Amino acid sequence: MDADRHNPRCAKAEKHRCVCSECGGSQHGVQGWLDLVNQDDAGRRGRRESLEGKLSWTPNRPRRLRMTRVNKEAATDLARVDIAEWLASPSPPHTGAEADEDHPSPAEQVAALAKEMARGAWREITPELYRAAADAQGIRRDLRHHGWCDLFIAMARVIEVTRRGFDSIPGQVKDMILRSPLQAGRPNVTEAVVGLIVDKAWRGFQVAAFSGVPLLDLISNEEALRALRILAVFICPAPAQHPAVRQHALTPLGEDATKILTDRTRARLAELFTDPPPDGVALAGG
């Protein structure tokens, strides 16, 4: 199957599920959220108002959000609207790098990672799937089960603690994906398939290196971690059903010094989800 052929409804999906048989989840939702970044304020305001209108509340005082699937999905989508608004701001504050005309904006960083680590990596992975496993279609199907957001979360978590020895990063990421609680739901995504995907995505990460900075500098740069977390949130088919995305992407973004998530969104996420604070990474062999 042509890796460049893709259903635009998947790329701009708003429902909290991925059924695309072409991209294996590698392009799910990302373009839709990046398009929202490029819309005007009225467009983003309209999306926010639409999501706010889906929320339901208890009748008693003080009113609280009902613990429903719809509320949880709307709350995580409102977090994505917050991120889109932050990316769309004229000059989101930089941390970890000096702002200059040649330095890519946060939105450009996320778009570059999506291009190289998801679309570009998938283009290279597709012809190799048939050599990696007998059931290539089964791999595509299983990867829709949070395969890509698990990848980006694992990469962000490993990079966060690996400030030196970056050659070990792909191996640590592979190990973390294989130990993911969601891996049991991806029986066709074998160790060989995980290795293939991580290697291609890691190469894409290096290609997308911001402003051509050395890789050792890049992985110690908070901007790279922030962009990976945003990409994980954008590509996740259902953050309300993926604790790792909430714990290791939304929570750090909410605590970011640049105020990516609003206080209202953070309060709603805290009310609807009982995720523990982000834990440290138990690296393989250490």
Side-chain angles (χ1 to χ4, degrees):
M1 181 177 290
D2 185 354
D4 288 326
R5 196 180 83 186
H6 187 239
N7 186 339
R9 289 181 297 179
C10 172
K12 301 183 180 183
E14 295 184 17
K15 294 183 178 179
H16 283 231
R17 61 192 179 95
C18 180
V19 296
C20 180
S21 62
E22 297 163 1
C23 76
S26 66
Q27 299 179 48
H28 181 85
V30 175
Q31 192 56 53
W33 291 108
L34 289 174
D35 286 348
L36 188 65
V37 174
N38 294 321
Q39 286 186 19
D40 56 18
D41 290 341
R44 288 186 293 275
R45 186 168 57 251
R47 176 70 69 86
R48 181 179 296 281
E49 291 173 352
S50 174
L51 290 168
E52 293 272 5
K54 294 180 179 180
L55 296 174
S56 60
W57 306 80
T58 60
N60 53 298
R61 298 287 183 176
R63 292 198 313 162
R64 298 183 62 84
L65 286 167
R66 295 181 184 275
M67 288 291 176
T68 66
R69 176 185 59 81
V70 172
N71 273 358
K72 291 180 177 181
E73 291 179 353
T76 53
D77 278 347
L78 284 165
R80 294 198 268 206
V81 174
D82 282 357
I83 295 169
E85 289 185 336
W86 183 84
L87 291 173
S89 61
S91 54
H94 288 269
T95 59
E98 293 296 326
D100 58 59
E101 291 183 358
D102 296 327
H103 192 80
S105 69
E108 290 170 335
Q109 293 170 11
V110 175
L113 289 184
K115 176 183 177 182
E116 299 296 341
M117 295 181 68
R119 293 193 301 275
W122 182 249
R123 188 177 298 113
E124 294 185 13
I125 290 166
T126 299
E128 299 188 33
L129 287 181
Y130 293 97
R131 292 193 292 272
D135 187 0
Q137 192 61 29
I139 296 172
R140 294 172 186 267
R141 181 179 61 251
D142 288 357
L143 283 173
R144 300 182 318 210
H145 184 58
H146 299 279
W148 293 88
C149 34
D150 252 356
L151 166 65
F152 298 135
I153 288 295
M155 193 168 289
R157 294 181 68 194
V158 173
I159 288 175
E160 188 173 22
V161 299
T162 309
R163 301 306 193 182
R164 292 180 175 83
F166 55 81
D167 288 340
S168 69
I169 289 176
Q172 303 289 1
V173 171
K174 294 170 190 176
D175 180 70
M176 186 170 289
I177 293 172
L178 290 170
R179 291 188 286 114
S180 166
L182 297 180
Q183 181 62 13
R186 302 188 288 254
N188 292 288
V189 183
T190 62
E191 184 174 354
V193 174
V194 169
L196 171 64
I197 293 170
V198 171
D199 288 343
K200 298 296 186 183
W202 179 240
R203 187 177 306 165
F205 181 76
Q206 296 177 66
V207 170
F210 312 144
S211 299
V213 299
L215 183 61
L216 187 58
D217 293 338
L218 180 65
I219 65 172
S220 63
N221 189 328
E222 291 302 318
E223 288 186 285
L225 288 174
R226 185 187 298 120
L228 275 170
R229 288 168 177 146
I230 290 174
L231 180 55
V233 173
F234 279 1
I235 207 169
C236 183
Q241 300 172 26
H242 196 170
V245 165
R246 300 192 306 270
Q247 184 181 11
H248 299 292
L250 281 177
T251 294
L253 291 173
E255 296 172 349
D256 195 287
T258 61
K259 301 290 186 183
I260 296 175
L261 301 187
T262 65
D263 290 341
R264 175 180 290 185
T265 294
R266 293 178 62 189
R268 287 172 174 172
L269 292 174
E271 182 178 347
L272 290 167
F273 301 99
T274 56
D275 297 318
D279 56 354
V281 176
L283 298 179

